[in-house]
Amino acid sequence: MQLIDLSITLEPVSSEPVPVAIDYVSHSEGADILGKPVGIDHSHFPDGMGLSLEYVRLTTHSGTHLDAPIHYGPFSEGKPARTIEDIPLEWCLSDGVVLDCTTQTTEPISSQEIQSELERIGYTLKPLDIVLLRTGADRLWGSPEYFTDFRGVSREATAWLVTQGIKVIGIDSFGFDPPFGRMLADYQREGRAELLWPAHLYGREREYCQIERLVHLDRLPQPSGFKVTCFPIKLRQCGAGWTRVIAIYEEPLS
Ligand SMILES: [Zn+2]
């Protein structure tokens, strides 16, 4: 079996739009925390050390995470939209397929492009497949361009995938829609509200989840024939959850 990690490490870095903060409580501080309330001096702990812990401050959309339908709007398919703890587990462990969407263009990924790539790799989608879109934008992690230089996915490509029975679509960029500056320019030029977060807002019509900020999709040795796990952390009434995304190849790779 071969396991390939597709998640970014959560840490205080400039590519998080809302800074991530981690306060580390050391082993010796931990000895005081555990021992003092019950009258044990830290010197009585083995080697003077207790147990460490960390306090973390971040948003549900920090790092590699899964967006739930409630993130897109209060309703999806005419029903109250699912929150992250209500995402069916079956959506989060399934056959994976990675599509090469690396090009020079800055246009959002289209359904035509997805269908051509599926044809090229000889793969037919089936319901609940987890579709991973490789744009290469993760190489910009750590630079200001990470926020601005990515393609995003068009509304019609999202709709096409969801119509095939896909419930989870992942991408290796900052966001699933085009960069904010580009959406804003489109909106200001045409004045139509539908041009703001068009793929996200498709999720008000049909339920789907998206994984944002994947990394290392270029390390997948084959475009299909693997499983993906992306179980989100259960957070009460939240619109997203952090997830450790792993590609699993059962067969030894030659
Ligand atoms: Zn998100």
Side-chain angles (χ1 to χ4, degrees), residues 135-142 146 172-173 214-218:
T135 68
D138 57 330
R139 76 185 183 285
L140 298 171
W141 180 257
Y146 185 69
D172 57 359
S173 54
L214 289 163
V215 289
H216 301 152
L217 293 179
D218 56 331

Side-chain angles (χ1 to χ4, degrees), residues 1-99:
M1 195 196 318
Q2 189 177 353
L3 304 176
I4 300 172
D5 191 352
L6 304 177
S7 287
I8 198 85
T9 302
L10 276 163
E11 58 183 329
V13 285
S14 60
S15 286
E16 294 290 355
V18 178
V20 169
I22 308 177
D23 290 332
Y24 295 88
V25 175
S26 70
H27 294 96
S28 54
E29 290 167 320
D32 282 332
I33 290 168
L34 294 170
K36 266 195 180 150
V38 290
I40 305 172
D41 188 74
H42 62 253
S43 62
H44 289 111
F45 279 80
D47 301 319
M49 291 188 283
L51 308 176
S52 68
L53 78 144
E54 297 80 29
Y55 292 93
V56 177
R57 185 163 179 81
L58 73 176
T59 77
T60 49
H61 297 263
S62 302
T64 306
H65 63 276
L66 189 77
D67 284 351
I70 191 84
H71 175 53
Y72 317 137
F75 294 94
S76 181
E77 303 189 7
K79 300 173 299 216
R82 290 181 207 253
T83 56
I84 197 69
E85 77 271 44
D86 289 336
I87 299 304
L89 296 179
E90 294 73 24
W91 293 11
C92 303
L93 170 58
S94 195
D95 288 334
V97 57
V98 61
L99 304 179

